[in-house]
Amino acid sequence: SNAQSLTQLFALDSLLEQEEIDIRDTVRKFGNERIRPHVAQWFEEAKLPARELAKELGQLGVLGMHLDGYGCAGMSATAYGLACLELEAVDSGIRSLVSVQGSLAMFSIHHWGSEEQKQEWLPRMAAGEAIGCFGLTEPDFGSNPAGMRTNAKRDGDDWILNGTKMWITNGSIADVAVVWAQTDLEEGAKGIRGFVVPTDTPGFSAPEIHSKMSLRASVTSELILDGVRLPSSAMMPKAEGLRGPLTSLGEARFGIVFGAIGAARDCLETAVEYSQSREVFDKPLAGYQLTQAKIADMALEVGKGHLLAYHLGRIKDRGEIAPEQVSLGKLNNVREAIAIARECRTILGANGITLEYPVIRHANNLESVLTYEGTSEVHQLTIGKALTGEAAFR
Ligand code: FAD
């Protein structure tokens, strides 16, 4: 057919450097060849060959790819975003594995850790030989982590950690957990510190959470810390208070601004292709005005989502991005992506409800993406505060 792709229609590549296009294409090829043929089955069985995949993602160079040194690729934020976009075009669960490894666990150690912690973990994590997780959320504290109950108490020079973390990506498969806990080093939320916890430490366990209807190709776990004894050197020296975990979350959230648009693009491409071959009332579904109105409106949002992501990427690459700007991207792109996934499902009719097509898998995955890394409501409050000067969180 003489149809154009969305990338052509929006002239999206004209906004990227050749090196960025090359990285994008390499990750897209990996996703399509290595992951796409299997991912529906992984989703259905809720089984991910995470160890194997982590090594391959390490070889691809995407684990901690925007960090410098310690075996990391040192790429731009925009290049990292593009990699997230291509991985999430295949499945949000795979992008989650990469986000948590690179942006939450590795970034935390890189940014807040001691030289010894960096040397010990980062090269192995960049290679995918060690898997990391990031434990902030608790059963009773999600949007308001300041209330966390997990605590670290001194016993001589050691730290003893007690508490429970919930909804932790990679938890059961992790070699190392970055765990945030309340200490009495300072009062209130200022006392929160981050600990680098090898998961084979006695008292640490991570039971997997089952029966998820979303992100099934991703491991989600509880972390139980029952008198976990750590040496004094386990505390990350440079993070004080909630600024530590919140900065790390901002890194992963930036990747989601791009990633969500990947999922939306994949749904739209699937729906357009389907509409071209599916005949209803004696002609292709694509030839009906109602279908074209849906496709045109969705294309506008996918295109605008790319523009917003690229714009935020450039701001981040200049080192100027503010948290509320990342909120703009996360709120918009995830909200639009889930709406697009559902609209595309209508175009596929009954075929849209099975795993034969990626659309309902993306739609279900995006339910998690809407909630983690700051819910849509929390980002509305963040943007509202930026524009009005009034904090309405409590
Ligand atoms: P709550 O905070 O209880 O929110 C419930 C509802 O209340 C939401 O709609 C919320 O927007 C709304 N709400 C909250 N506060 C306000 C307010 N002030 N005003 C109005 N409405 C409000 N956490 C980690 O630490 N590490 C991970 O690796 C991780 N991975 C995850 C993977 C998955 C698949 C999922 C689903 C979650 C993961 N999370 C992880 C947890 C995630 O960050 C939390 O679920 C999220 O922060 C929301 O917290 P909550 O689920 O407790 O919801």
Side-chain angles (χ1 to χ4, degrees):
S1 81
N2 53 4
Q4 296 181 53
S5 74
L6 183 101
T7 306
Q8 290 169 321
L9 185 58
F10 274 84
L12 287 173
D13 285 359
S14 66
L15 295 170
L16 301 177
E17 307 288 335
Q18 188 57 44
E19 192 192 13
E20 293 166 337
I21 292 175
D22 293 344
I23 293 168
R24 193 250 339 251
D25 291 348
T26 305
V27 179
R28 183 181 294 181
K29 186 164 180 286
F30 175 87
N32 282 337
E33 290 177 2
R34 173 64 184 104
I35 302 173
R36 195 177 287 279
H38 310 286
V39 75
Q41 193 190 343
W42 296 340
F43 183 99
E44 182 156 24
E45 295 173 358
K47 272 193 194 141
L48 186 70
R51 294 229 146 253
E52 213 180 305
L53 263 183
K55 283 187 192 136
E56 291 177 46
L57 291 162
Q59 273 161 19
L60 188 66
V62 298
L63 302 178
M65 70 183 272
H66 63 309
L67 303 176
D68 288 318
Y70 307 94
C72 304
M75 296 290 174
S76 68
T78 302
Y80 167 63
L82 291 167
C84 289
L85 192 155
E86 295 303 331
L87 292 171
E88 194 148 1
V90 186
D91 193 273
S92 304
I94 309 301
R95 198 270 307 138
S96 297
L97 170 68
V98 170
S99 292
V100 169
Q101 175 85 351
S103 281
L104 294 182
M106 291 176 72
F107 175 87
S108 295
I109 295 172
H110 194 275
H111 209 67
W112 310 117
S114 65
E115 189 53 39
E116 188 191 339
Q117 289 166 335
K118 294 187 211 186
Q119 299 278 0
E120 181 175 3
W121 291 106
L122 294 179
R124 277 193 285 154
M125 292 173 84
E129 280 156 18
I131 295 179
C133 70
F134 180 91
L136 178 66
T137 305
E138 300 189 354
D140 294 326
F141 296 93
S143 300
N144 177 22
M148 70 172 63
R149 295 205 183 98
T150 299
N151 60 75
K153 293 218 158 69
R154 282 283 194 186
D155 181 34
D157 275 351
D158 291 349
W159 288 102
I160 312 286
L161 266 63
N162 281 293
T164 306
K165 297 290 177 181
M166 194 65 182
W167 306 113
I168 307 306
T169 304
N170 297 351
S172 317
I173 53 167
D175 301 284
V176 61
V178 170
V179 174
W180 300 92
Q182 188 72 56
T183 68
D184 53 14
L185 290 173
E186 283 179 72
E187 296 222 338
K190 287 194 180 139
I192 291 169
R193 294 291 183 277
F195 295 83
V196 177
V197 185
T199 57
D200 57 4
T201 312
F204 181 98
S205 58
E208 193 169 345
I209 297 171
H210 296 290
S211 308
K212 288 179 298 171
M213 290 289 113
S214 173
L215 283 192
R216 292 176 61 80
S218 172
V219 175
T220 317
S221 317
E222 193 180 346
L223 305 185
I224 299 171
L225 300 131
D226 182 10
V228 173
R229 179 179 289 274
L230 298 168
S232 175
S233 60
M235 191 182 87
M236 295 189 292
K238 293 183 207 141
E240 288 175 14
L242 270 182
R243 193 173 65 91
L246 296 189
T247 304
S248 305
L249 286 166
E251 293 294 305
R253 190 173 296 140
F254 170 82
I256 294 173
V257 174
F258 283 75
I261 284 303
R265 183 194 75 198
D266 195 52
C267 291
L268 182 58
E269 282 177 0
T270 305
V272 169
E273 215 180 290
Y274 186 88
S275 73
Q276 289 165 327
S277 61
R278 174 72 175 177
E279 296 208 345
V280 294
F281 296 92
D282 308 321
K283 69 172 189 185
L285 180 56
Y288 289 88
Q289 291 182 343
L290 286 175
T291 312
Q292 293 202 0
K294 290 181 186 178
I295 290 171
D297 287 351
M298 291 192 287
L300 269 174
E301 292 309 328
V302 177
K304 282 150 65 181
H306 275 89
L307 297 180
L308 180 55
Y310 291 5
H311 176 54
L312 294 174
R314 297 299 175 217
I315 299 176
K316 187 162 167 58
D317 280 327
R318 291 198 302 269
E320 293 168 2
I321 203 159
E324 58 271 24
Q325 292 176 315
V326 183
S327 287
L328 295 171
K330 204 269 182 180
L331 174 61
N332 184 75
N333 287 4
V334 181
R335 190 164 65 182
E336 293 305 329
I338 198 167
I340 287 166
R342 290 169 180 160
E343 184 88 307
C344 287
R345 215 286 307 152
T346 69
I347 292 178
L348 269 69
N351 280 319
I353 72 158
T354 76
L355 288 171
E356 190 186 337
Y357 294 93
V359 175
I360 199 150
R361 179 166 51 78
H362 283 306
N364 277 15
N365 283 339
L366 288 164
E367 295 288 349
S368 291
V369 182
L370 202 62
T371 287
Y372 70 25
E373 285 287 349
T375 65
S376 292
E377 294 79 4
V378 165
H379 292 302
Q380 287 176 312
L381 293 172
T382 302
I383 295 165
K385 179 180 169 222
L387 290 171
T388 66
E390 300 277 352
F393 294 90
R394 57 179 76 241

